[in-house]
Amino acid sequence: MARRDLLTHPIEWIKGKGSSSNIAVSSRIRLARNLRDFPFTHRCDEEKLLVIADKVKQVISKSDLLKNSDVIEMDSLDPLSRWILVERHLISPPFANGGPGRIAVIDPKGVISVMVNEEDHLRIQVILAGLELSEVWRIANKVEKVFEELNYAFDRDFGYLTACPTNVGTGMRASVMVHIPALEMSKQVTTLINECNRIGLTVRGTYGEGSDVLGSLYQISNQITLGLSEEELIDKVSSAVSQVVAEEERARTVMKHKLGISLDDRIWRAFGILCYSRMITSKEALELISLVKMGSDMEITPKISVEEWNNLVLGVQPNHVQVYAGKQLSPSERDVFRATFLRERLKTIVGK
């Protein structure tokens, strides 16, 4: 798949059509599954990894659900293209390193993606906009059944067996990406993290475990996979995120009342920098885009739809910038091109 095709491939969650999608950006379920007759990937030699990949391809070719999907061999992509998929949340950062038997399966709508031979033989992922974990689970369950004929590694006492012990059981991670600038500005995020940990949830960075928080975007997910059913885990994460959405809305109302014109000034300054800067880093761009989106939601700055905001967030990422530019860029060149991209996009949005 060419780089430009990666940018034009539909990605359903970007459209922002889901419950509370102005704060709950996207819902994702990831299922870890392994094949009973093969060692875990870190114990497999190259020949076995290639056999697993071939078996997966055969199943896909027979599946009405997946047969029209793109099947992408990671080693066939250049590094820039691989990281486009990471920035779009379709594959994990470790998977982007490539290796024998590593293939990504992406359905035509960009809702379903399957990583083959990542940490586990199969990492099934489904992602939709908004707080929609129940619908995401319905789809993920259908995808999981497609691959059942490969014979999953399953234990009657422990459930699905996985390379990492923390995934044993359901093998499921249910997560929601939330945009919470007001909670961040009012220094309530530490309290949120502590409360999530208390009830068995975890709060991670924008690209999951070990990643930084960018543009006030956090992932909230279940911490345990053993001892609770998939439905119970989904209910727990959904309830917690609903509370976070309510708290973020409350924090915005309080800030607007307490800060008044100083809040307006901070948001308009962010808007001005995005509209007129000539160089800008991805980190600064994401921070300012976050403020402007909050300002839009609070009717302070011009209206920016969830879809437009998602495209801005993606468009300023380092690898997206280079693909839009059509060439490899140095960090300073990226900063110049990013600023140009933002000026042009915001001019179009404001002019609507």
Side-chain angles (χ1 to χ4, degrees):
M1 184 182 287
R3 289 178 187 168
R4 283 283 171 182
D5 292 336
L6 293 174
L7 290 183
T8 57
H9 191 292
I11 304 293
E12 191 69 22
W13 69 265
I14 294 175
K15 298 177 183 178
K17 296 178 180 179
S19 175
S20 302
S21 61
N22 63 316
I23 295 173
V25 180
S26 61
S27 296
R28 183 191 72 162
I29 282 179
R30 187 220 69 200
L31 299 175
R33 296 290 184 264
N34 289 280
L35 309 191
R36 185 179 62 198
D37 299 329
F38 292 85
F40 292 129
T41 57
H42 65 278
R43 300 292 299 273
C44 273
D45 58 25
E46 181 173 337
E47 182 181 355
K48 287 186 173 68
L49 292 171
L50 293 173
V51 169
I52 292 168
D54 285 341
K55 286 181 175 291
V56 170
K57 290 177 184 177
Q58 290 170 20
V59 170
I60 291 169
S61 68
K62 299 182 293 183
S63 166
D64 290 336
L65 182 63
L66 297 175
K67 65 183 179 184
N68 293 322
S69 301
D70 288 307
V71 179
I72 307 167
E73 294 187 11
M74 284 296 101
D75 285 351
S76 72
L77 295 180
D78 61 88
L80 190 58
S81 298
R82 297 178 197 179
W83 282 93
I84 287 289
L85 296 175
V86 174
E87 291 174 353
R88 293 189 155 223
H89 299 282
L90 292 171
I91 66 171
S92 66
F95 195 71
N97 293 325
R102 281 194 162 183
I103 59 174
V105 182
I106 303 173
D107 84 309
K109 292 185 177 181
V111 172
I112 301 165
S113 63
V114 182
M115 290 178 283
V116 181
N117 290 322
E118 202 233 29
E119 182 177 86
D120 297 286
H121 297 147
L122 295 174
R123 285 286 178 96
I124 297 166
Q125 175 183 280
V126 176
I127 184 168
L128 290 174
L131 180 52
E132 301 289 350
L133 281 177
S134 294
E135 176 61 12
V136 171
W137 167 237
R138 186 189 69 80
I139 298 170
N141 197 27
K142 288 174 65 176
V143 179
E144 190 225 22
K145 291 185 185 303
V146 168
F147 296 104
E148 276 185 336
E149 67 179 80
L150 297 176
N151 297 319
Y152 294 137
F154 184 84
D155 182 89
R156 285 192 303 173
D157 295 323
F158 293 104
Y160 293 102
L161 303 180
T162 55
C164 179
T166 59
N167 291 323
V168 169
T170 61
M172 184 178 80
R173 285 275 182 260
S175 64
V176 180
M177 181 86 73
V178 292
H179 178 233
I180 49 173
L183 290 175
E184 197 172 67
M185 290 170 66
S186 56
K187 303 189 185 307
Q188 297 182 60
V189 171
T190 300
T191 302
L192 165 66
I193 292 172
N194 291 338
E195 182 59 22
C196 283
N197 290 340
R198 187 185 67 79
I199 61 173
L201 304 181
T202 187
V203 181
R204 294 186 169 118
T206 307
Y207 287 95
E209 188 173 5
S211 66
D212 295 330
V213 174
L214 302 169
S216 303
L217 291 166
Y218 296 77
Q219 284 190 27
I220 299 175
S221 65
N222 58 298
Q223 202 164 29
I224 60 170
T225 60
L226 187 63
L228 294 174
S229 69
E230 289 89 348
E231 289 77 13
E232 288 171 325
L233 291 170
I234 287 167
D235 286 345
K236 178 177 280 196
V237 176
S238 295
S239 296
V241 171
S242 294
Q243 184 63 33
V244 169
V245 169
E247 291 294 333
E248 171 67 17
E249 291 173 339
R250 188 176 299 113
R252 293 182 184 189
T253 301
V254 170
M255 277 202 317
K256 191 169 186 177
H257 176 72
K258 284 188 174 181
L259 300 179
I261 192 67
S262 64
L263 177 64
D264 289 8
D265 181 68
R266 181 172 177 178
I267 291 171
W268 276 109
R269 283 175 183 270
F271 192 86
I273 292 171
L274 292 174
C275 286
Y276 295 104
S277 67
R278 264 39 187 179
M279 292 182 73
I280 191 166
T281 66
S282 57
K283 185 176 185 295
E284 183 184 10
L286 289 167
E287 289 172 353
L288 298 179
I289 291 167
S290 171
L291 279 173
V292 168
K293 180 59 173 67
M294 182 177 72
S296 168
D297 293 343
M298 298 171 71
E299 299 183 343
I300 295 171
T301 48
K303 178 67 177 176
I304 297 176
S305 70
V306 176
E307 183 173 10
E308 288 166 335
W309 175 58
N310 284 333
N311 277 311
L312 286 176
V313 169
L314 286 177
V316 301
Q317 303 288 338
N319 297 285
H320 275 73
V321 166
Q322 293 178 94
V323 173
Y324 283 131
K327 59 182 179 180
Q328 295 273 357
L329 300 173
S330 69
S332 60
E333 289 173 330
R334 290 202 298 267
D335 293 347
V336 172
F337 190 90
R338 183 180 292 110
T340 303
F341 165 83
L342 285 167
R343 292 197 308 273
E344 292 174 352
R345 285 297 177 95
L346 285 170
K347 182 179 179 181
T348 301
I349 291 170
V350 173
K352 286 184 178 180

